[in-house]
Amino acid sequence: MAEPFPELTPETNPKKRRVQSVLFMCNYNAVRSAAAEAIARAYFGKSTYVQSAGVRSGEPTDPFMIAALDEIGIDASRHRPRTIEELEDWEGLNFDLIITLSPEAHHRALDLTHTLAADVEYWPTPDPTLVQEASREQRLDAYRDVRDGLTQRIKARLKA
């Protein structure tokens, strides 16, 4: 009698295919998804197409995020926030993978999969803008934590 759950071997558990295009999504595309886009482009921009978008519009690019990325040699100063609708109108939504960084973005991405053949992964990422009653350095530390966490996950997930 065969076992109901056969042991996974390299033959029965194929590696995830290499991601050729990735979209990072969060609420406003001003902090988390913008940082993820900049980080992914810095490390994988020659081999992977990278974009980001937000569910809603209305927030400018966050100067703390720009400063935190600048500390590690990534220039995000030219980033302009865009919504998922703006991105779709501009170039379409042809992505292998959508990585969501907030619950609202995750729900929106799952809605998109009704018409898109993209994998969706949820990476819960704290919103550093919520650290308000703190010194400038403490606020910047919250952005650094997000930057470092995203850098680690992006490097692990997108490496060929």
Side-chain angles (χ1 to χ4, degrees), residues 29-43:
N29 191 223
V31 180
R32 294 170 284 185
S33 60
E37 176 186 349
I39 292 163
R41 281 191 179 181
Y43 290 104

Side-chain angles (χ1 to χ4, degrees), residues 41-58:
R41 281 191 179 181
Y43 290 104
F44 300 100
K46 293 195 186 323
S47 61
T48 305
Y49 180 71
V50 180
Q51 285 291 347
S52 66
V55 175
R56 293 179 263 144
S57 63

Side-chain angles (χ1 to χ4, degrees), residues 15-87:
K15 284 185 174 181
K16 289 183 180 177
R17 61 187 161 96
R18 191 180 83 71
V19 175
Q20 295 182 353
S21 58
V22 63
L23 171 65
F24 293 96
M25 286 178 62
C26 68
N27 293 347
Y28 292 102
N29 191 223
V31 180
R32 294 170 284 185
S33 60
E37 176 186 349
I39 292 163
R41 281 191 179 181
Y43 290 104
F44 300 100
K46 293 195 186 323
S47 61
T48 305
Y49 180 71
V50 180
Q51 285 291 347
S52 66
V55 175
R56 293 179 263 144
S57 63
E59 296 289 318
T61 304
D62 192 291
F64 280 101
M65 181 271 295
I66 292 169
L69 290 170
D70 191 53
E71 290 177 350
I72 61 168
I74 297 175
D75 180 10
S77 63
R78 295 198 327 238
H79 177 80
R80 297 294 168 259
R82 66 186 154 266
T83 65
I84 193 70
E85 288 78 18
E86 290 167 337
L87 182 62

Side-chain angles (χ1 to χ4, degrees), residues 79-144:
H79 177 80
R80 297 294 168 259
R82 66 186 154 266
T83 65
I84 193 70
E85 288 78 18
E86 290 167 337
L87 182 62
E88 185 172 24
D89 291 346
W90 178 49
E91 66 173 37
L93 298 175
N94 299 311
F95 296 94
D96 299 330
L97 177 62
I98 301 172
I99 296 175
T100 60
L101 306 172
S102 68
E104 184 177 2
H106 189 65
H107 292 294
R108 181 71 176 99
L110 292 176
D111 288 343
L112 291 173
T113 62
H114 295 299
T115 56
L116 300 176
D119 293 330
V120 177
E121 293 180 12
Y122 177 41
W123 296 0
T125 305
D127 182 354
T129 66
L130 299 178
V131 178
Q132 293 290 324
E133 303 299 320
S135 70
R136 181 183 191 288
E137 194 62 26
Q138 289 169 323
R139 290 180 68 191
L140 198 48
D141 280 343
Y143 286 78
R144 289 176 181 128

